[in-house]
Amino acid sequence: EDEQIVAEIMRRRFFPAVLTHKAWEGFHFAGHEIRITEATDCYGAVVWPSALVLCYFLETNSKQYNLVDKNVIEIGAGTGLVSIVASLLGACVTATDLPELLGNLQHNVLQNTKLKCKHQPCAKELSWGVDLEKNFPRSSCHFDYILAADVVYHHPFLDELLLTFDHLCENDTVILWAMKFRLDKENQFVGRFQTLFDLEVIFDFPSLNIILYKAMRKGRMQS
């Protein structure tokens, strides 16, 4: 079953028949052909398999996880594929990443969502752990969903990542987080994450070494 679903997910990706001066990949999700421009000089500007897993899940579980009119933020959005799919599924999306990735992120989001979405998504700078209350004040920023794909990869800022999850997540916020397991340091982050959040495995792909988690804040029932 794992291999069958993985094959279906990977079939959603296609490449241009003719090479052009701009590197791009194509994807089929939410009834649309999505073209993603990549920059191969940095990790955040390529599409990783975890993003495909999360997109596939959002599309195939759109009744259980209905994104229509929901406020959604993606952290570590990279090329923007997950944010684009969430937007095409009806969400009001804020796609975030580091300032050096924003140009490519904004380009991809605009190219693939303009006049196609109920809510036009926006791209916004978010450096984990930095100026969180200033840029995303708790009094006015409420997110129904936090999306994250492969944010825990060879990353020196895991403390800041946990701070960011903590700041953005309210009692009723659902985190959907796809993670590829690689190194012990990143794997240990899951244990630290569980000190603040209840974690549930909702998709597991041993052949890709990827797990999709659902998480919510601990102690939310008492709040």
Side-chain angles (χ1 to χ4, degrees):
E1 185 185 0
D2 166 43
E3 292 178 357
Q4 284 181 340
I5 298 177
V6 167
E8 164 60 22
I9 292 172
M10 294 307 162
R11 277 197 293 270
R12 301 302 186 94
R13 179 181 233 154
F14 66 92
F15 297 91
V18 179
L19 292 177
T20 61
H21 68 286
K22 269 193 174 180
W24 64 272
E25 288 184 66
F27 303 87
H28 292 290
F29 285 108
H32 291 269
E33 180 182 296
I34 300 165
R35 290 193 177 194
I36 295 293
T37 301
E38 299 187 329
T40 54
D41 57 347
C42 55
Y43 286 128
V46 296
V47 176
W48 298 100
S50 292
L52 300 187
V53 166
L54 185 47
C55 288
Y56 179 82
F57 179 83
L58 292 175
E59 181 191 71
T60 55
N61 293 271
S62 60
K63 288 186 179 178
Q64 185 178 358
Y65 295 88
N66 184 358
L67 298 185
V68 176
D69 297 332
K70 297 296 195 298
N71 286 320
V72 173
I73 187 168
E74 184 186 4
I75 60 173
T79 61
L81 179 63
V82 173
S83 287
I84 291 163
V85 171
S87 297
L88 293 170
L89 291 170
C92 182
V93 177
T94 303
T96 70
D97 215 313
L98 296 169
E100 58 266 29
L101 297 174
L102 273 190
N104 191 56
L105 174 58
Q106 286 173 325
H107 169 78
N108 283 328
V109 167
L110 183 62
Q111 288 290 106
N112 289 285
T113 61
K114 191 175 182 181
L115 304 179
K116 297 178 183 177
C117 296
K118 186 174 183 181
H119 307 283
Q120 185 59 43
C122 68
K124 189 172 178 179
E125 177 184 340
L126 173 53
S127 299
W128 296 342
V130 178
D131 292 333
L132 293 173
E133 181 58 31
K134 176 185 174 185
N135 296 325
F136 299 90
R138 280 186 165 143
S139 60
S140 58
C141 290
H142 171 77
F143 297 108
D144 301 294
Y145 289 93
I146 300 171
L147 306 179
D150 245 0
V151 290
V152 186
Y153 172 52
H154 195 60
H155 212 294
F157 300 110
L158 296 182
D159 289 341
E160 291 82 355
L161 174 59
L162 192 58
L163 272 175
T164 302
F165 272 125
D166 185 38
H167 179 82
L168 297 173
C169 187
E170 298 185 43
N171 285 344
D172 58 348
T173 304
V174 175
I175 299 170
L176 296 174
W177 166 30
M179 176 174 174
K180 184 176 178 72
F181 284 80
R182 298 178 177 93
L183 306 172
D184 282 345
K185 185 180 180 184
E186 283 81 22
N187 299 351
Q188 290 165 9
F189 178 80
V190 176
R192 295 177 54 206
F193 184 87
Q194 286 180 285
T195 63
L196 296 177
F197 302 98
D198 292 320
L199 203 59
E200 175 189 349
V201 175
I202 52 176
F203 237 175
D204 187 2
F205 297 108
S207 61
L208 293 174
N209 214 19
I210 290 173
I211 291 178
L212 177 61
Y213 293 109
K214 173 188 174 182
M216 295 188 76
R217 180 176 292 285
K218 279 185 180 292
R220 59 192 179 278
M221 298 304 290
Q222 289 78 27
S223 298

